[in-house]
Amino acid sequence: MFNDDADHIYAARRGSPLVLGCGDAEMSLGSDTMALGNRAAQVIYMEEGDQARLGQQDIVLVDAFGRSVSRKRVDNDIDHEQTGKQNHSFYMHKEIHEQPDTVARTLVHSYHLKDQLELDFMEIDRLSIIACGTSYYAAMVAKYWFEQLAALPVDIDVASEFRYRSPLMSNSGLAVFISQSGETADTLAALKYARSNQQQTLAVVNVAASSIAREADMSVQTQAGPEIGVASTKAFTAQLSVLGSLAIQAAQQRRQFSAEMARAAFTTLAGVPQKLEQILSMESQLEAIGNSLTDARDAYFIGRGSSYPIAMEGALKLKEISYIHAEGFGAGELKHGPIALIESGVPVFVIAPNNDLLEKTLSNMQEVVARGGRCILLGDKHSIKACGDDQVECIEIPESDPFTSPLLYVAALQLIAYYAALAKGTDVDQPRNLAKSVTVE
């Protein structure tokens, strides 16, 4: 902005995304569509190198070479009625409680992916999944699913590291990029790197017209709706819903699943929303656990298999909104260093669904108990019975198939983190130093 030109704002895009909003006698700009609010009826997504002059009623655009250009205006389809807190004190609490509906919507949408995407997993010899933060933990869960169900090798990368290690990419590979906003700068840069290496690309995003969705060869929109709280909750379970559906599709195309097995797997996924309702009905128990963390300086989360990334996500949720130092580990790694951190009363959350790794997980838990740690076990009836230790606090999670357990256990951890933050008096929706969309490197 210039003192001698008060009627205009000037903007340019280079590297990070930039969106222009067109309203009734007003123009605006922001890093993503959500930032523009409900006063922008239409949006313009600037291309790399574009420069804009915004007036009260018009926008003038030139490209990187100074040539006048016209960019398509897209209707702002965000339902801003969904963006209120309604009867909830914080957006995060509202968004946790929306998960039965958002997962159900996403699963209905995802069931038809095989008809929407030009993908033949028989022609794909390696999957690369790239993301940041919570989306990266969704990628970690997906790695277990694709390898175990579809026998498809998977590499996962943090987007900010991916292109700097000069990865070797298969000519028959598929690169999947996960982002809630679809504007994450590191993920967008990684996508461009993959495309420059002739890689087929697929975006899993929550905003259909976002930069990552437009840059990728194919895109799938999760049906989470607007997510306002900085700490991602419903977007994460929606991402898992899409990735689980894709893993089933891959398993069937690669002849690891019969049509009947694929239908059974989808039926299992379809049961998740009802089980999420059961977990939300346990809120008072989860609130008590969260409140008990008020004086904790440290907390640790352990799990095995697909519960390992859920342990890491549980730790991330706790640290980012309550500011309690928290770390997630593969339970088998305790003996390789982290167990030195266990002191009397230190809370250790044990993610222990009933699966083939339960016995090993409980054995690692006993190592913590023996050193005076406060163990909080999240498991189903079988897991709790197998634990059989009065020193361990138990939270009973509804019984579930090992395939779908990550979507259930993470919801309980979200509520624990939420109430821990409330007890400490932090700003749950806008934790310090964090932004919803990370649009710079």
Side-chain angles (χ1 to χ4, degrees):
M1 294 185 287
F2 298 92
N3 289 333
D4 58 356
D5 188 4
D7 295 330
H8 295 98
I9 296 175
Y10 294 83
R13 175 184 170 178
R14 182 172 182 179
S16 301
L18 195 58
V19 183
L20 307 179
C22 309
D24 183 14
E26 63 180 64
M27 303 294 164
S28 55
L29 71 160
S31 57
D32 61 28
T33 308
M34 184 61 67
L36 301 180
N38 60 1
R39 297 170 68 131
Q42 295 180 311
V43 296
I44 298 172
Y45 293 91
M46 295 179 69
E47 301 291 338
E48 183 72 5
D50 279 359
Q51 301 170 56
R53 186 189 71 186
L54 283 69
Q56 188 174 358
Q57 297 184 337
D58 67 336
I59 293 175
V60 177
L61 277 167
V62 299
D63 65 14
F65 301 98
R67 299 173 300 204
S68 178
V69 292
S70 176
R71 303 296 185 203
K72 183 178 179 181
R73 294 192 180 199
V74 180
D75 288 341
N76 185 0
D77 59 359
I78 293 176
D79 183 356
H80 289 278
E81 290 185 3
Q82 297 181 32
T83 61
K85 294 178 185 176
Q86 297 173 1
N87 295 322
H88 300 268
S89 299
F90 289 93
Y91 286 111
M92 182 180 180
H93 190 255
K94 169 178 171 279
E95 288 157 6
I96 290 172
H97 278 263
E98 288 177 333
Q99 288 177 113
D101 290 334
T102 56
V103 167
R105 285 202 306 269
T106 301
L107 289 174
V108 169
H109 181 74
S110 300
Y111 183 77
H112 302 287
L113 287 179
K114 61 182 180 294
D115 303 319
Q116 300 169 13
L117 301 176
E118 295 180 5
L119 270 180
D120 184 353
F121 282 97
M122 279 295 287
E123 296 180 354
I124 296 169
D125 63 2
R126 180 165 291 276
L127 200 61
S128 300
I129 311 180
I130 298 99
C132 299
T134 287
S135 297
Y136 175 72
Y137 298 139
M140 288 182 70
V141 173
K143 176 179 173 70
Y144 287 95
W145 286 342
F146 279 101
E147 292 188 341
Q148 293 174 357
L149 302 183
L152 178 60
V154 179
D155 295 322
I156 56 172
D157 272 278
V158 175
S160 56
E161 292 292 332
F162 173 71
R163 61 195 171 113
Y164 296 115
R165 69 176 179 85
S166 302
L168 302 176
M169 309 196 77
S170 168
N171 292 332
S172 300
L174 172 68
V176 179
F177 298 85
I178 310 171
S179 169
Q180 187 283 134
S181 67
E183 304 293 349
T184 310
D186 286 318
T187 307
L188 182 59
L191 169 56
K192 291 177 178 178
Y193 176 90
R195 292 202 66 183
S196 70
N197 283 268
Q198 290 73 55
Q199 196 80 173
Q200 190 176 21
T201 57
L202 169 66
V204 177
V205 297
N206 196 35
V207 182
S210 60
S211 298
I212 290 172
R214 289 181 291 112
E215 186 79 22
D217 297 318
M218 298 166 283
S219 68
V220 178
Q221 182 186 8
T222 58
Q223 303 299 303
E227 187 179 65
I228 309 299
V230 167
S232 183
T233 52
K234 64 176 182 174
F236 178 69
T237 48
Q239 289 168 353
L240 290 180
S241 300
V242 169
L243 295 166
S245 299
L246 283 171
I248 295 170
Q249 178 183 335
Q252 187 173 4
Q253 289 184 352
R254 293 173 65 84
R255 302 189 176 95
Q256 302 297 310
F257 272 15
S258 64
E260 183 178 348
M261 292 169 67
R263 281 194 296 271
F266 272 117
T267 299
T268 300
L269 267 178
V272 168
Q274 183 179 5
K275 293 182 184 294
L276 283 170
E277 293 278 13
Q278 293 176 253
I279 290 173
L280 295 175
S281 71
M282 301 161 44
E283 185 158 0
S284 59
Q285 182 185 3
L286 300 169
E287 179 181 1
I289 295 292
N291 289 341
S292 72
L293 301 177
T294 307
D295 296 324
R297 290 188 310 161
D298 309 284
Y300 302 104
F301 295 72
I302 62 172
R304 283 179 177 264
S306 60
S307 296
Y308 165 36
I310 297 304
M312 298 181 74
E313 170 62 9
L316 176 61
K317 282 292 150 288
L318 185 63
K319 77 176 81 172
E320 66 183 339
I321 62 172
S322 75
Y323 316 144
I324 296 170
H325 168 247
E327 295 186 51
F329 305 109
E333 284 297 293
L334 273 174
K335 296 186 293 291
H336 297 277
I339 203 165
L341 300 170
I342 304 302
E343 299 175 325
S344 178
V346 171
V348 179
F349 291 87
V350 183
I351 318 303
N354 180 24
N355 56 29
D356 294 341
L357 298 170
L358 175 61
E359 184 178 345
K360 293 181 182 295
T361 302
L362 294 180
S363 175
N364 299 134
M365 181 192 72
Q366 288 301 328
E367 294 171 343
V368 174
V369 172
R371 288 157 179 83
R374 176 195 173 193
C375 279
I376 303 156
L377 173 73
L378 284 77
D380 57 25
K381 289 180 180 178
H382 183 89
S383 304
I384 293 171
K385 183 178 179 181
C387 168
D389 191 327
D390 293 338
Q391 299 179 70
V392 176
E393 301 169 46
C394 296
I395 300 171
E396 185 177 324
I397 303 296
E399 291 184 273
S400 62
D401 188 281
F403 172 40
T404 57
S405 64
L407 288 97
L408 305 182
Y409 284 73
V410 76
L413 295 174
Q414 291 167 355
L415 280 170
I416 290 170
Y418 171 78
Y419 281 108
L422 276 190
K424 291 181 71 69
T426 65
D427 187 336
V428 174
D429 287 335
Q430 294 181 303
R432 66 189 182 201
N433 305 331
L434 297 179
K436 184 62 181 170
S437 297
V438 183
T439 56
V440 295
E441 278 198 76

